[in-house]
């Protein structure tokens, strides 16, 4: 295993400033993998092209639930796809060879805050993990690290206060089925070390 470092970046929700600042602070040669909710929307395409052109290193990111990729051919590509200078989208179920590691990537999550968002504008039905994407992830072998947007359900159950769901206008029993998919894939591939985002608490 290489001694090369890898930086994992949490949900930035469209904050170009956070990405550019991190790029400037890191030593050369250290790649960044962002764990979803980058904030890619069709109307922000020019912004992300400008951000990418200013970066000194490649930025990789997986799909979250606060973004949208309508009719993008790279959504289910077989390998990371450079969609802007230095900005590489990692399709769900892909294995990313990065910093000497085999990183299994599986994005997606259900939006618990969907009642406060606008369908077709900043909330989309295609935010969920598909059967095909999950099946591709279950075929992973020799994974050093798994990166997802939503955590496995067991992690959510152990760490999240279910009362917090009420602030989003859903019942205390609301459950993201994607967390069960991630749980199943994680256990299927041997429970490798896992990094995720989405939950917004430490």
């Amino acid at each position: 295993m290489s001694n090369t470092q890898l930086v994992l970046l949490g949900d930035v929700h469209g904050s170009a400033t956070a990405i550019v600042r991190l790029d400037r602070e890191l030593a050369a040669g250290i790649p960044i993998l962002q764990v979803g909710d980058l904030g890619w929307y069709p109307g922000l395409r020019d912004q992300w092209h400008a951000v990418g052109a200013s970066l000194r290193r490649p930025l990789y990111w997986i799909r979250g639930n606060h973004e949208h990729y309508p009719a993008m051919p790279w959504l289910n590509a077989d390998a990371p796809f450079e969609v802007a200078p230095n900005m590489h989208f990692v399709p769900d179920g892909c294995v990313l060879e990065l910093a000497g590691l085999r990183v299994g990537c599986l994005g997606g999550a259900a939006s618990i805050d969907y009642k406060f968002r606008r369908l077709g504008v900043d909330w989309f039905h295609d935010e969920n993990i598909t059967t095909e994407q999950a099946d591709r992830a279950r075929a992973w072998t020799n994974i050093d690290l798994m990166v997802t947007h939503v955590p496995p359900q067991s992690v959510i159950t152990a760490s999240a206060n279910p009362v917090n769901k009420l602030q989003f206008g859903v019942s205390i029993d609301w459950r993201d089925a994607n967390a069960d998919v991630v749980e199943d894939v994680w256990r299927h591939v041997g429970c490798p070390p896992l990094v995720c985002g989405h939950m917004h608490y430490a």
Side-chain angles (χ1 to χ4, degrees):
M1 187 177 297
S2 170
N3 290 324
T4 303
Q5 292 177 298
L6 169 64
V7 168
L8 292 142
L9 175 63
D11 305 28
V12 295
H13 292 276
S15 175
T17 302
I19 293 171
V20 172
R21 184 174 65 243
L22 177 62
D23 175 66
R24 293 294 179 267
E25 291 176 355
L26 289 175
I30 302 176
I32 301 170
L33 175 56
Q34 198 273 333
V35 301
D37 282 0
L38 175 79
W40 181 286
Y41 293 99
L44 297 179
R45 186 180 184 91
D46 290 345
Q47 170 193 298
W48 288 122
H49 274 256
V51 170
S54 75
L55 298 180
R56 304 183 302 168
R57 75 198 68 240
L59 170 74
Y60 298 87
W61 89 92
I62 67 171
R63 186 171 60 94
N65 62 299
H66 281 254
E67 47 212 356
H68 186 45
Y69 314 102
M72 298 296 186
W74 36 268
L75 186 58
N76 287 302
D78 293 327
F81 199 97
E82 187 171 23
V83 301
N86 296 312
M87 299 192 67
H88 304 261
F89 176 75
V90 184
D92 298 316
C94 279
V95 174
L96 186 60
E97 302 275 355
L98 198 61
L101 302 172
R102 283 178 53 81
V103 184
C105 298
L106 185 60
S111 294
I112 192 172
D113 60 349
Y114 69 92
K115 292 185 177 182
F116 306 112
R117 295 164 64 191
R118 297 160 295 169
L119 183 62
V121 178
D122 58 7
W123 179 65
F124 306 90
H125 287 304
D126 59 2
E127 64 187 5
N128 296 297
I129 301 169
T130 67
T131 299
E132 293 75 17
Q133 291 161 347
D135 286 345
R136 181 156 59 166
R138 289 187 188 95
W140 294 337
T141 57
N142 302 317
I143 296 299
D144 299 305
L145 176 67
M146 182 170 169
V147 175
T148 67
H149 186 58
V150 67
Q153 184 58 53
S154 61
V155 173
I156 295 174
T157 300
S159 62
N161 183 349
V163 173
N164 290 338
K165 298 175 186 178
L166 300 177
Q167 66 184 301
F168 299 107
V170 300
S171 77
I172 203 167
D173 298 321
W174 186 91
R175 185 181 178 111
D176 183 354
N178 296 281
D180 294 304
V181 174
V182 168
E183 180 89 39
D184 177 73
V185 170
W186 183 49
R187 294 189 183 281
H188 186 83
V189 299
C191 297
L194 173 72
V195 175
C196 54
H198 187 55
M199 300 303 289
H200 292 242
Y201 60 77

